[in-house]
Amino acid sequence: MKYLKPLIFTFVLLLSFSTNIDAQQHLKFMGIPINGSIDNFQQKLASKGIYPSKEMNRNTPFGVRCFTGRFTGKQCNIYVYYTDSKIVYRAKAVYSEQGEDLVDSYYKKEVKDMLDTKYALEESENETSDGYPSHRIYVTDETDSRSLGQIVLYKSKFNGDYGYVSYSIHVVYYDDSNQIKHQNDNLDDL
């Protein structure tokens, strides 16, 4: 009987620890878990020098909040996607330039190579998107037993008025659990 209390305490402690670990397992964007409310996520971005863009947010629908700031050393537009209940499920950084050589260098040397180094043990695949190379990484937890999400890197081209052309590199982080919740919310509408 005297060993029962410590045994129960140990069991409860282990259970709460494993539940706490599971609750905290989310893909991270700029070191911030893609989870929680958009307002809380915005505060964490602000601590990194990323601030809302009033101009972009004026024309952006509910479910997306736009920011500007530095991502991997470059000035970028940052988009954070959230559900009807304001839970963040996706984040994206976009670097744009008129010079295609500049964005190609950023794609290869400043993002793809760093992602491949950081996530060297993760499964990845090279694809194409709109005729340009793209790269997808499947991120798992520390034990490789649970998928946390995906990081997708791709390039796009914008043809504007009067012959204006620009190119963009998109780095998109999809958190699996909150993305699924978002899709389920949408399915509930049907």
Side-chain angles (χ1 to χ4, degrees):
M1 187 69 169
K2 72 177 185 174
Y3 295 107
L4 190 57
K5 276 187 177 181
L7 185 61
I8 290 173
F9 176 74
T10 303
F11 178 72
V12 169
L13 187 62
L14 285 172
L15 183 62
S16 67
F17 180 71
S18 66
T19 303
N20 192 26
I21 285 177
D22 188 47
Q24 294 176 0
Q25 295 292 309
H26 289 275
L27 188 63
K28 292 180 180 178
F29 175 77
M30 297 184 72
I32 305 167
I34 302 175
N35 191 30
S37 74
I38 182 62
D39 294 330
N40 186 277
F41 200 84
Q42 179 174 323
Q43 288 175 345
K44 291 177 182 178
L45 285 174
S47 73
K48 296 180 174 286
I50 308 295
Y51 298 103
S53 169
K54 290 180 184 177
E55 182 180 323
M56 290 191 313
N57 282 313
R58 265 186 244 135
N59 300 317
T60 304
F62 180 86
V64 182
R65 196 167 292 172
C66 307
F67 302 84
T68 58
R70 296 182 75 72
F71 177 82
T72 62
K74 298 286 188 192
Q75 189 64 29
C76 292
N77 291 327
I78 295 171
Y79 304 87
V80 179
Y81 300 80
Y82 55 94
T83 65
D84 289 345
S85 56
K86 296 191 174 189
I87 300 300
V88 174
Y89 65 91
R90 180 178 10 152
K92 173 168 80 167
V94 180
Y95 170 68
S96 300
E97 287 285 348
Q98 285 182 292
E100 189 170 15
D101 290 346
L102 291 172
V103 295
D104 287 346
S105 176
Y106 180 71
Y107 178 97
K108 172 78 174 108
K109 295 177 184 170
E110 297 182 49
V111 181
K112 185 178 182 298
D113 287 351
M114 286 191 297
L115 285 171
D116 286 342
T117 299
K118 182 174 182 176
Y119 297 102
L121 300 177
E122 303 291 356
E123 183 182 334
S124 66
E125 59 189 27
N126 292 309
E127 307 167 324
T128 58
S129 174
D130 294 329
Y132 296 111
S134 67
H135 188 62
R136 182 180 303 267
I137 299 172
Y138 301 93
V139 182
T140 57
D141 65 5
E142 296 86 21
T143 63
D144 290 333
S145 62
R146 185 170 161 264
S147 175
L148 296 181
Q150 298 176 33
I151 302 170
V152 180
L153 172 65
Y154 67 95
K155 176 181 168 182
S156 67
K157 179 180 180 180
F158 173 74
N159 293 308
D161 295 335
Y162 309 108
Y164 174 81
V165 176
S166 71
Y167 299 88
S168 297
I169 299 300
H170 305 253
V171 189
V172 190
Y173 291 70
Y174 298 90
D175 180 75
D176 274 357
S177 61
N178 286 334
Q179 180 84 21
I180 289 168
K181 288 177 190 174
H182 173 63
Q183 289 171 340
N184 287 339
D185 286 349
N186 286 341
L187 286 174
D188 287 345
D189 290 348
L190 299 176

